[in-house]
């Protein structure tokens, strides 16, 4: 075939040419083959009819499949042509109706360039597309407090395959949105990397989160104020031990910190310290403030404060086992304590820690019926009975605090002097980052 004709011949043309050649060979050589094989003319005539009908059937099937294929190709071509016509128009309409901004970045030679941004940026942020494509536009409109963090995260993402970050971004009217910025690598060449990014407005979610956190903070403040009030009411009945509860809580928290417990655990011990003697409110003040040694009967009455504390606290839902600590802070590992005579692991760790803090603070402080015994004798008491009366690990932490770290028992006249420490120890709430 002529080379020029071969170039012009489509796949369909080639099929037709091949079909004509095959049909011609079938017609011209079919009868010759039949006469050669069957000399009987009547038989050849019958076979010729069969051959003819077979040829008609074969060509009909071929034409049917060709027409079906051609129809499918025409339909696909029409769809493609329609899509090519509508796609440029549809992209703008699609993005104008979506709540997210899509953009493209080209990263080369250590610098990122915004090469395309969806047209809904004007509706969401108030900037025209041309303004957004200007150099350093993104950096200029980051919130000053978020700029360094957002830029450092961007540098990491551009060196990897992308990532997600959240920051505040200034709208054209001067207000700020909380934006989630997600970046994804889509193409890489020896000289550049192309990323597709999406900005999602999280402002409504952030406002809702702040409202929830503000409500939680107010509830938490109310809880701490209530705890503080209860502790002060308890100490009004025993002015000689004012500040005891708060000092025990602080010392217990310090021991827990030395043992490696986290700030939340320490917080629970501060609260437990403030409330561990709340049951004394049911004991006559003349016994609590008696300037002489207590009788056996009076001492037995004093001992009921642990059970009373538990009864008062057991139905209050704290994040920590406050009621159990108050119930068990006079228990001892060998079972010699009160009110239940618990032994070993039957006593929760918080109560074991608070028990040591309670003993050290009590022996170090003045009481109506005796002068202060002194810190050194208090530490000797803990050291000599570690593992017998007191938890060995908590005792060791307490001794390290005073002997190696020069810890000083905080001084205060009432629980409120320590209330600010409880508030300061709460986790700081930061904006979305």
């Amino acid at each position: 075939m002529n080379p020029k004709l071969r170039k012009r011949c489509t796949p369909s043309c080639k099929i037709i040419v091949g079909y004509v050649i095959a049909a011609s060979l079938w017609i011209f050589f079919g009868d010759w083959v039949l006469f050669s094989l069957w000399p009987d003319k009547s038989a050849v005539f019958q076979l010729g009819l069969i051959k003819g009908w077979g040829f008609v059937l074969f060509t009909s099937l071929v034409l049917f499949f060709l027409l079906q294929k051609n129809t499918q190709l025409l339909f696909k071509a029409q769809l493609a042509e329609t899509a090519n016509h509508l796609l440029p128009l549809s992209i703008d309409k699609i993005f104008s109706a979506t709540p997210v901004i899509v953009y493209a970045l080209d990263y080369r030679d250590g610098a990122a360039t915004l090469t395309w941004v969806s047209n809904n940026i004007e509706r969401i942020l108030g900037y025209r597309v041309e303004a957004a494509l200007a150099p350093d536009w993104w950096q200029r409109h980051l919130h000053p407090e978020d700029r360094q963090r957002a830029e450092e995260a961007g540098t990491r993402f551009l060196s990897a395959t992308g990532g997600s970050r959240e920051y505040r971004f200034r709208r054209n009217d001067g207000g700020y949105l909380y934006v989630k910025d997600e970046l994804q690598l889509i193409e890489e060449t020896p000289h550049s990397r192309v990323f597709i990014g999406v900005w999602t407005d999280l402002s409504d979610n952030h406002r809702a989160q702040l409202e929830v956190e503000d409500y939680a903070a107010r509830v938490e403040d109310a809880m701490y104020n209530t705890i503080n009030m209860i502790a002060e009411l308890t100490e009004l009945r025993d002015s000689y031990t004012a500040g005891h509860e708060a000092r025990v809580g602080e010392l217990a928290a310090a021991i827990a910190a030395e043992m490696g417990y986290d700030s939340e655990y320490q917080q629970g011990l501060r609260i437990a310290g403030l409330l561990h003697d709340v049951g004394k409110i049911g004991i006559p003040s003349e016994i609590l403030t008696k300037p002489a040694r207590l009788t056996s009967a009076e001492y037995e009455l004093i001992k009921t404060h642990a059970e009373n504390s538990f009864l008062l606290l057991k139905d209050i839902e704290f994040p920590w086992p406050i009621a159990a600590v108050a119930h068990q802070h006079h228990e001892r590992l060998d079972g010699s304590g009160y009110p239940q005579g618990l032994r070993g692991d039957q006593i929760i760790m918080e109560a074991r820690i608070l028990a040591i803090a309670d003993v050290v603070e009590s022996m170090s402080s003045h009481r109506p019926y005796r002068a202060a015994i002194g810190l050194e004798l208090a530490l000797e008491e803990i050291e000599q009975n570690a593992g017998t009366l007191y938890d060995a690990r908590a005792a060791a932490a307490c001794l390290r605090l005073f002997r190696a770290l020069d810890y000083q028992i905080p001084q205060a006249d009432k629980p409120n002097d320590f209330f600010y420490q409880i508030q300061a120890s709460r986790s700081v709430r930061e904006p979305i980052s």
Side-chain angles (χ1 to χ4, degrees):
M1 183 182 292
N2 190 305
K4 293 182 179 180
L5 292 176
R6 187 182 296 115
K7 290 181 180 179
R8 294 178 184 175
C9 192
T10 63
S12 297
C13 178
K14 293 177 181 179
I15 291 173
I16 292 171
V17 171
Y19 173 72
V20 170
I21 293 173
S24 300
L25 291 174
W26 176 263
I27 292 170
F28 288 112
F29 290 100
D31 289 341
W32 179 79
V33 171
L34 290 174
F35 279 111
S36 300
L37 296 176
W38 289 279
D40 185 356
K41 292 181 179 180
S42 61
V44 171
F45 177 75
Q46 294 174 358
L47 291 171
L49 289 175
I50 294 173
K51 182 192 71 171
W53 284 110
F55 178 73
V56 170
L57 179 61
F58 171 75
T59 54
S60 298
L61 289 172
V62 170
L63 288 173
F64 173 77
F65 286 115
L66 286 175
L67 288 172
Q68 286 287 100
K69 187 67 175 178
N70 188 55
T71 301
Q72 293 174 2
L73 291 174
L74 286 174
F75 180 69
K76 290 180 179 179
Q78 289 174 352
L79 286 178
E81 184 178 355
T82 303
N84 289 334
H85 176 70
L86 294 177
L87 189 57
L89 302 175
S90 301
I91 288 178
D92 288 341
K93 291 182 179 179
I94 289 171
F95 284 119
S96 67
T98 59
V100 298
I101 301 170
V102 182
Y103 65 92
L105 279 182
D106 183 71
Y107 182 64
R108 64 178 67 203
D109 301 326
T113 304
L114 191 65
T115 58
W116 175 84
V117 64
S118 57
N119 62 354
N120 60 347
I121 189 172
E122 186 169 357
R123 174 173 58 83
I124 297 174
L125 293 177
Y127 299 101
R128 296 182 63 83
V129 171
E130 296 78 10
L133 296 178
D136 298 329
W137 170 83
W138 177 76
Q139 290 86 343
R140 291 198 312 271
H141 294 90
L142 286 170
H143 192 285
E145 294 178 4
D146 299 343
R147 182 174 292 117
Q148 181 178 355
R149 175 175 50 79
E151 290 180 347
E152 289 174 353
T155 301
R156 293 195 306 271
F157 298 161
L158 293 170
S159 300
T161 59
S164 175
R165 52 189 166 170
E166 296 176 5
Y167 49 80
R168 287 165 287 183
F169 196 84
R170 188 172 64 240
R171 297 191 306 263
N172 197 29
D173 62 7
Y176 281 91
L177 295 181
Y178 276 83
V179 174
K180 182 176 184 179
D181 186 358
E182 298 174 278
L183 206 60
Q184 180 62 50
L185 177 68
I186 61 168
E187 183 180 344
E188 186 172 10
T189 68
H191 303 292
S192 70
R193 313 181 87 208
V194 179
F195 291 83
I196 287 291
V198 176
W199 285 319
T200 305
D201 181 6
L202 297 179
S203 299
D204 290 341
N205 293 345
H206 179 64
R207 278 191 291 272
Q209 179 180 341
L210 288 180
E211 290 175 2
V212 171
E213 290 183 353
D214 180 64
Y215 176 76
R218 284 187 278 116
V219 171
E220 196 172 353
D221 285 341
M223 179 185 74
Y224 288 139
N225 282 316
T226 301
I227 291 168
N228 194 58
M229 180 191 68
I230 293 171
E232 288 189 345
L233 285 174
T234 303
E235 293 193 344
L236 283 176
R237 298 184 49 80
D238 185 5
S239 57
Y240 289 100
T241 60
H244 166 72
E245 284 85 357
R247 289 192 293 272
V248 168
E250 286 300 314
L251 177 53
I255 293 171
E258 180 65 19
M259 294 172 71
Y261 290 107
D262 61 23
S263 59
E264 186 70 15
Y265 192 94
Q266 297 167 40
Q267 186 78 317
L269 284 170
R270 287 190 179 93
I271 303 301
L274 286 173
L275 296 177
H276 75 283
D277 280 343
V278 68
K280 286 182 179 179
I281 201 167
I283 298 174
S285 57
E286 56 268 22
I287 295 178
L288 294 175
T289 59
K290 183 178 179 179
R293 184 169 294 278
L294 299 174
T295 66
S296 297
E298 290 170 335
Y299 181 61
E300 289 300 318
L301 186 60
I302 286 284
K303 287 167 63 176
T304 63
H305 81 277
E307 183 71 30
N308 292 338
S309 296
F310 173 73
L311 294 175
L312 289 171
L313 298 171
K314 66 182 179 65
D315 294 325
I316 303 176
E317 293 186 8
F318 290 102
W320 314 277
I322 303 299
V325 174
H327 203 195
Q328 299 177 13
H329 74 279
H330 280 294
E331 302 287 356
R332 297 295 180 256
L333 294 184
D334 63 356
S336 62
Y338 65 87
Q340 302 174 88
L342 301 179
R343 292 175 173 271
D345 291 339
Q346 292 178 314
I347 308 169
I348 63 173
M349 179 55 72
E350 291 91 337
R352 299 187 217 176
I353 294 173
L354 197 85
I356 291 174
D358 190 35
V359 168
V360 171
E361 198 287 327
S362 296
M363 293 180 67
S364 303
S365 301
H366 176 75
R367 289 292 181 268
Y369 50 85
R370 62 157 173 81
I373 296 174
L375 178 62
E376 278 307 315
L377 289 177
L379 295 180
E380 288 180 13
E381 159 69 15
I382 300 301
E383 186 174 35
Q384 291 172 5
N385 293 290
T388 304
L389 301 179
Y390 312 111
D391 182 83
R393 193 159 67 95
C398 178
L399 296 173
R400 282 197 305 272
L401 276 178
F402 288 99
R403 293 176 176 174
L405 303 177
D406 197 27
Y407 178 83
Q408 301 294 317
I409 297 177
Q411 297 301 310
D413 293 329
K414 56 184 179 179
N416 193 53
D417 294 342
F418 288 98
F419 183 55
Y420 78 93
Q421 296 184 31
I422 291 175
Q423 291 177 310
S425 67
R426 283 158 43 186
S427 58
V428 177
R429 296 181 179 85
E430 297 180 351
I432 290 178
S433 60

mmCIF file of all heavy atoms in Angstrom, residues 175-193:
data_model
loop_
_atom_site.group_PDB
_atom_site.id
_atom_site.type_symbol
_atom_site.label_atom_id
_atom_site.label_comp_id
_atom_site.label_asym_id
_atom_site.label_seq_id
_atom_site.Cartn_x
_atom_site.Cartn_y
_atom_site.Cartn_z
ATOM 1 N N GLY A 175 -10.552 41.196 60.444
ATOM 2 C CA GLY A 175 -10.815 40.129 61.399
ATOM 3 C C GLY A 175 -9.992 38.888 61.092
ATOM 4 O O GLY A 175 -9.348 38.797 60.044
ATOM 5 N N TYR A 176 -10.017 37.929 62.026
ATOM 6 C CA TYR A 176 -9.223 36.718 61.848
ATOM 7 C C TYR A 176 -10.116 35.491 61.791
ATOM 8 O O TYR A 176 -11.137 35.402 62.478
ATOM 9 C CB TYR A 176 -8.223 36.551 62.997
ATOM 10 C CG TYR A 176 -6.990 37.414 62.844
ATOM 11 C CD1 TYR A 176 -6.947 38.689 63.393
ATOM 12 C CD2 TYR A 176 -5.888 36.960 62.135
ATOM 13 C CE1 TYR A 176 -5.819 39.490 63.256
ATOM 14 C CE2 TYR A 176 -4.754 37.743 61.989
ATOM 15 C CZ TYR A 176 -4.727 39.005 62.554
ATOM 16 O OH TYR A 176 -3.608 39.791 62.396
ATOM 17 N N LEU A 177 -9.710 34.547 60.952
ATOM 18 C CA LEU A 177 -10.319 33.229 60.895
ATOM 19 C C LEU A 177 -9.357 32.218 61.498
ATOM 20 O O LEU A 177 -8.134 32.375 61.388
ATOM 21 C CB LEU A 177 -10.620 32.813 59.452
ATOM 22 C CG LEU A 177 -11.650 33.613 58.655
ATOM 23 C CD1 LEU A 177 -11.785 33.006 57.264
ATOM 24 C CD2 LEU A 177 -12.991 33.618 59.347
ATOM 25 N N TYR A 178 -9.890 31.173 62.109
ATOM 26 C CA TYR A 178 -9.077 30.020 62.481
ATOM 27 C C TYR A 178 -9.119 29.047 61.310
ATOM 28 O O TYR A 178 -10.190 28.571 60.935
ATOM 29 C CB TYR A 178 -9.598 29.373 63.763
ATOM 30 C CG TYR A 178 -9.067 30.053 64.988
ATOM 31 C CD1 TYR A 178 -9.680 31.204 65.481
ATOM 32 C CD2 TYR A 178 -7.944 29.579 65.644
ATOM 33 C CE1 TYR A 178 -9.191 31.848 66.597
ATOM 34 C CE2 TYR A 178 -7.456 30.218 66.769
ATOM 35 C CZ TYR A 178 -8.075 31.353 67.238
ATOM 36 O OH TYR A 178 -7.584 31.994 68.346
ATOM 37 N N VAL A 179 -7.972 28.812 60.725
ATOM 38 C CA VAL A 179 -7.886 28.068 59.467
ATOM 39 C C VAL A 179 -7.151 26.751 59.682
ATOM 40 O O VAL A 179 -6.131 26.701 60.377
ATOM 41 C CB VAL A 179 -7.147 28.906 58.398
ATOM 42 C CG1 VAL A 179 -6.920 28.092 57.135
ATOM 43 C CG2 VAL A 179 -7.953 30.156 58.067
ATOM 44 N N LYS A 180 -7.681 25.688 59.083
ATOM 45 C CA LYS A 180 -6.956 24.429 58.987
ATOM 46 C C LYS A 180 -6.360 24.357 57.593
ATOM 47 O O LYS A 180 -7.078 24.436 56.589
ATOM 48 C CB LYS A 180 -7.877 23.235 59.218
ATOM 49 C CG LYS A 180 -7.144 21.889 59.173
ATOM 50 C CD LYS A 180 -8.085 20.744 59.501
ATOM 51 C CE LYS A 180 -7.319 19.419 59.546
ATOM 52 N NZ LYS A 180 -8.207 18.292 59.881
ATOM 53 N N ASP A 181 -5.049 24.237 57.501
ATOM 54 C CA ASP A 181 -4.322 24.258 56.227
ATOM 55 C C ASP A 181 -3.731 22.866 55.987
ATOM 56 O O ASP A 181 -2.835 22.434 56.710
ATOM 57 C CB ASP A 181 -3.221 25.310 56.301
ATOM 58 C CG ASP A 181 -2.506 25.515 54.971
ATOM 59 O OD1 ASP A 181 -2.851 24.811 54.002
ATOM 60 O OD2 ASP A 181 -1.616 26.373 54.903
ATOM 61 N N GLU A 182 -4.242 22.174 54.975
ATOM 62 C CA GLU A 182 -3.764 20.832 54.634
ATOM 63 C C GLU A 182 -3.045 20.873 53.289
ATOM 64 O O GLU A 182 -3.571 21.403 52.310
ATOM 65 C CB GLU A 182 -4.942 19.858 54.565
ATOM 66 C CG GLU A 182 -5.667 19.715 55.888
ATOM 67 C CD GLU A 182 -6.921 18.874 55.775
ATOM 68 O OE1 GLU A 182 -7.959 19.437 55.363
ATOM 69 O OE2 GLU A 182 -6.864 17.673 56.085
ATOM 70 N N LEU A 183 -1.843 20.314 53.262
ATOM 71 C CA LEU A 183 -0.992 20.358 52.076
ATOM 72 C C LEU A 183 -0.631 18.941 51.652
ATOM 73 O O LEU A 183 -0.323 18.104 52.501
ATOM 74 C CB LEU A 183 0.278 21.153 52.398
ATOM 75 C CG LEU A 183 1.025 21.844 51.255
ATOM 76 C CD1 LEU A 183 0.123 22.856 50.570
ATOM 77 C CD2 LEU A 183 2.270 22.530 51.797
ATOM 78 N N GLN A 184 -0.676 18.673 50.329
ATOM 79 C CA GLN A 184 -0.387 17.330 49.830
ATOM 80 C C GLN A 184 0.451 17.416 48.555
ATOM 81 O O GLN A 184 0.098 18.129 47.618
ATOM 82 C CB GLN A 184 -1.685 16.570 49.541
ATOM 83 C CG GLN A 184 -1.481 15.155 49.024
ATOM 84 C CD GLN A 184 -0.766 14.265 50.029
ATOM 85 O OE1 GLN A 184 -1.146 14.209 51.187
ATOM 86 N NE2 GLN A 184 0.266 13.563 49.607
ATOM 87 N N LEU A 185 1.562 16.672 48.516
ATOM 88 C CA LEU A 185 2.408 16.616 47.315
ATOM 89 C C LEU A 185 1.697 15.822 46.224
ATOM 90 O O LEU A 185 1.211 14.724 46.462
ATOM 91 C CB LEU A 185 3.743 15.951 47.661
ATOM 92 C CG LEU A 185 4.730 15.748 46.499
ATOM 93 C CD1 LEU A 185 5.248 17.088 45.995
ATOM 94 C CD2 LEU A 185 5.894 14.854 46.941
ATOM 95 N N ILE A 186 1.629 16.392 44.986
ATOM 96 C CA ILE A 186 0.978 15.685 43.880
ATOM 97 C C ILE A 186 1.915 15.412 42.713
ATOM 98 O O ILE A 186 1.632 14.554 41.873
ATOM 99 C CB ILE A 186 -0.250 16.458 43.361
ATOM 100 C CG1 ILE A 186 0.161 17.832 42.831
ATOM 101 C CG2 ILE A 186 -1.302 16.591 44.443
ATOM 102 C CD1 ILE A 186 -0.947 18.521 42.059
ATOM 103 N N GLU A 187 3.027 16.131 42.639
ATOM 104 C CA GLU A 187 3.948 15.918 41.513
ATOM 105 C C GLU A 187 5.342 16.353 41.920
ATOM 106 O O GLU A 187 5.520 17.361 42.613
ATOM 107 C CB GLU A 187 3.481 16.725 40.288
ATOM 108 C CG GLU A 187 4.330 16.503 39.041
ATOM 109 C CD GLU A 187 3.839 17.311 37.850
ATOM 110 O OE1 GLU A 187 2.684 17.806 37.901
ATOM 111 O OE2 GLU A 187 4.602 17.464 36.896
ATOM 112 N N GLU A 188 6.326 15.604 41.484
ATOM 113 C CA GLU A 188 7.707 15.926 41.815
ATOM 114 C C GLU A 188 8.601 15.723 40.600
ATOM 115 O O GLU A 188 8.510 14.699 39.911
ATOM 116 C CB GLU A 188 8.187 15.063 42.982
ATOM 117 C CG GLU A 188 9.568 15.412 43.491
ATOM 118 C CD GLU A 188 9.933 14.682 44.767
ATOM 119 O OE1 GLU A 188 9.180 13.746 45.151
ATOM 120 O OE2 GLU A 188 10.938 15.038 45.391
ATOM 121 N N THR A 189 9.432 16.704 40.309
ATOM 122 C CA THR A 189 10.407 16.633 39.223
ATOM 123 C C THR A 189 11.781 16.917 39.825
ATOM 124 O O THR A 189 11.882 17.318 40.991
ATOM 125 C CB THR A 189 10.082 17.669 38.134
ATOM 126 O OG1 THR A 189 10.297 18.986 38.657
ATOM 127 C CG2 THR A 189 8.634 17.527 37.641
ATOM 128 N N PRO A 190 12.840 16.742 39.046
ATOM 129 C CA PRO A 190 14.173 17.033 39.593
ATOM 130 C C PRO A 190 14.345 18.472 40.068
ATOM 131 O O PRO A 190 15.207 18.753 40.897
ATOM 132 C CB PRO A 190 15.098 16.722 38.415
ATOM 133 C CG PRO A 190 14.348 15.720 37.597
ATOM 134 C CD PRO A 190 12.923 16.115 37.710
ATOM 135 N N HIS A 191 13.541 19.393 39.534
ATOM 136 C CA HIS A 191 13.748 20.808 39.842
ATOM 137 C C HIS A 191 12.643 21.431 40.686
ATOM 138 O O HIS A 191 12.808 22.542 41.195
ATOM 139 C CB HIS A 191 13.887 21.612 38.542
ATOM 140 C CG HIS A 191 14.988 21.115 37.653
ATOM 141 N ND1 HIS A 191 16.318 21.221 37.981
ATOM 142 C CD2 HIS A 191 14.935 20.467 36.462
ATOM 143 C CE1 HIS A 191 17.067 20.686 37.017
ATOM 144 N NE2 HIS A 191 16.246 20.212 36.085
ATOM 145 N N SER A 192 11.503 20.774 40.829
ATOM 146 C CA SER A 192 10.410 21.389 41.577
ATOM 147 C C SER A 192 9.492 20.329 42.181
ATOM 148 O O SER A 192 9.517 19.167 41.778
ATOM 149 C CB SER A 192 9.595 22.316 40.677
ATOM 150 O OG SER A 192 8.861 21.558 39.735
ATOM 151 N N ARG A 193 8.668 20.782 43.127
ATOM 152 C CA ARG A 193 7.652 19.938 43.740
ATOM 153 C C ARG A 193 6.338 20.719 43.726
ATOM 154 O O ARG A 193 6.292 21.885 44.129
ATOM 155 C CB ARG A 193 8.022 19.566 45.177
ATOM 156 C CG ARG A 193 9.453 19.100 45.326
ATOM 157 C CD ARG A 193 9.764 18.729 46.769
ATOM 158 N NE ARG A 193 9.407 17.350 47.025
ATOM 159 C CZ ARG A 193 9.043 16.876 48.207
ATOM 160 N NH1 ARG A 193 8.947 17.696 49.231
ATOM 161 N NH2 ARG A 193 8.753 15.613 48.363
#
